[in-house]
Amino acid sequence: MAEFDLIDLIRARCAIERADVRLGIGDDAAILAPPAGHDLVVSTDTLVEGVHFPASTGARDLGWKALAVNLSDLAAMGATPAWALLALTLPVADRAFVADFADGFAELAAQHRVALVGGDTTSGPLSVTVVVHGFVPPERALRRDGARIGDQVFVTGAIGDAAGGLACLERRHPHLFEVPAEAREALIARLERPTPRVAAGSALRDSATACIDVSDGLLADLGHIAARSGVGIELDAWKLPTSSALLSAFEENERLVLQAGGGDDYELAFTAPLERATTIERDLARLGCGATRIGTVVGGSGVRLLDAKGGEIRLSRRGWNHFA
Ligand code: ADP
Ligand code: MG
């Protein structure tokens, strides 16, 4: 199986027509026509086997996730996705693997009308790099540096499920064997098939002052907003939105570690003025993911997790740090 057969296979499965793609896969480079008067938002993320996904991950889920984590970055900027590039490094030219991978990628790409316009195919240890491009109206992208003292802190969806799913996969606690299969499967699905909050990100362009997607862990990622904005953040631990699957699988302390420290949920964490709260909650409920108020932007620096009496909760593991 030659490299070019694999590329043809990927191209056939990811075919999406877009008028702004002048020239897609097949030449030395793609030719793209960004909409006049918009800002171009660009991001890339790599998934390496054993680091970002367990070797047990199916090819189809991997294809989905490789695009999902990248679309999540565009969502966090409030951008509308348009084009993607895919650099695939494969240990062997496995046609079935590539077909399944491309199907998973294409399934999510179709939902957001993202055209795959190019990439690279090489041999080596399994690794996937995707580049995504999206648009926002001029100077309207959401950033990490706009949070202001007095703003409320929100998160979309529910938090901690992906870390709970990983704990289930790794069979980290003996009691997980007693958790209903349905709950375990729901958590693992959130790890392997995250939903990028693209529509929520666009909707937040009118109200959020700062935004980030939760990839490394809620405290770690909100820490980036705090640092970039020059503020502190206080989170009310008991307000963190929790899925019924996570509730049924973990007791309170374990749950809090997963929710505050675990990564990979790809929810949006953001700040907005209090007077926008009702509109935000209504708009995001309408989009299906919802938003929950979990804290407040304060003076100072760093992120503090508080219990119902206002005491600080200290966690052992603040989120994933690649070089720690
Ligand atoms: P070059 O050698 O000029 O870099 P390649 O032979 O690597 O070109 O790729 C040929 C065409 O196929 C290019 O248009 C490239 O963007 C595209 N391509 C290669 N690998 C992939 C991939 N994994 N996914 C999508 N497009 C790819
Ligand atoms: Mg060339």
Side-chain angles (χ1 to χ4, degrees):
M1 173 63 43
E3 173 192 339
F4 296 103
D5 297 325
L6 293 180
I7 296 170
D8 281 345
L9 195 153
I10 293 169
R11 174 167 47 183
R13 279 159 200 266
C14 296
I16 284 181
E17 285 291 316
R18 283 187 67 105
D20 55 13
V21 179
R22 302 280 187 258
L23 187 60
I25 295 172
D27 213 305
D28 291 312
I31 306 175
L32 307 167
H38 277 63
D39 288 345
L40 183 61
V41 182
V42 185
S43 184
T44 186
D45 255 325
T46 295
L47 300 184
V48 176
E49 185 176 62
V51 180
H52 304 95
F53 62 94
S56 63
T57 307
R60 208 179 158 112
D61 290 337
L62 186 59
W64 171 287
K65 185 163 180 172
L67 181 59
V69 303
N70 278 279
L71 293 185
S72 179
D73 282 323
L74 291 186
M77 303 299 291
T80 303
W83 311 312
L85 296 153
L86 168 64
L88 256 186
T89 304
L90 302 165
V92 284
D94 178 343
R95 194 187 166 84
F97 178 93
V98 171
D100 286 347
F101 178 95
D103 283 342
F105 186 101
E107 192 182 340
L108 183 60
Q111 286 182 17
H112 296 282
R113 293 201 55 256
V114 170
L116 181 63
V117 297
D120 199 19
T121 306
T122 53
S123 90
L126 181 58
S127 150
V128 187
T129 298
V130 172
V131 182
V132 285
H133 306 74
F135 316 126
V136 283
E139 291 176 62
R140 295 290 309 287
L142 296 170
R143 303 160 46 134
R144 297 178 177 181
D145 58 7
R148 268 162 292 184
I149 295 173
D151 280 354
Q152 300 296 294
V153 181
F154 302 75
V155 70
T156 59
I159 205 89
D161 284 5
L166 187 60
C168 289
L169 278 181
E170 292 177 346
R171 302 169 206 276
R172 216 179 283 154
H173 307 284
H175 80 260
L176 289 176
F177 292 102
E178 288 144 42
V179 172
E182 202 179 306
R184 256 182 305 154
E185 280 157 23
L187 297 175
I188 291 169
R190 290 262 292 159
L191 173 71
E192 296 187 329
R193 289 210 158 214
T195 306
R197 301 300 189 190
V198 172
S202 300
L204 288 170
R205 283 203 304 255
D206 292 330
S207 14
T209 49
C211 186
I212 192 167
D213 65 322
V214 181
S215 54
D216 293 337
L218 185 64
L219 295 194
D221 289 320
L222 280 173
H224 297 313
I225 286 187
R228 293 293 299 261
S229 300
V231 296
I233 286 176
E234 287 180 351
L235 292 182
D236 298 323
W238 72 98
K239 291 183 183 165
L240 301 184
T242 308
S243 73
S244 55
L246 198 72
L247 263 177
S248 72
F250 297 92
E251 52 97 356
E252 197 182 337
N253 279 340
E254 288 170 352
R255 213 164 58 222
L256 195 55
V257 172
L258 296 171
Q259 293 189 288
D264 260 359
D265 281 315
Y266 299 99
E267 298 291 352
L268 297 181
F270 58 95
T271 59
L274 180 59
E275 61 268 23
R276 306 292 304 189
T278 315
T279 313
I280 288 171
E281 283 157 1
R282 188 200 55 214
D283 289 352
L284 271 57
R286 215 175 267 157
L287 291 174
C289 60
T292 306
R293 267 163 69 183
I294 57 171
T296 315
V297 177
V298 297
S301 64
V303 183
R304 300 197 317 140
L305 189 63
L306 304 179
D307 63 26
K309 291 183 187 136
E312 183 169 1
I313 304 170
R314 290 181 183 278
L315 295 175
S316 51
R317 194 167 164 271
R318 281 221 132 194
W320 185 244
N321 179 336
H322 281 278
F323 298 102

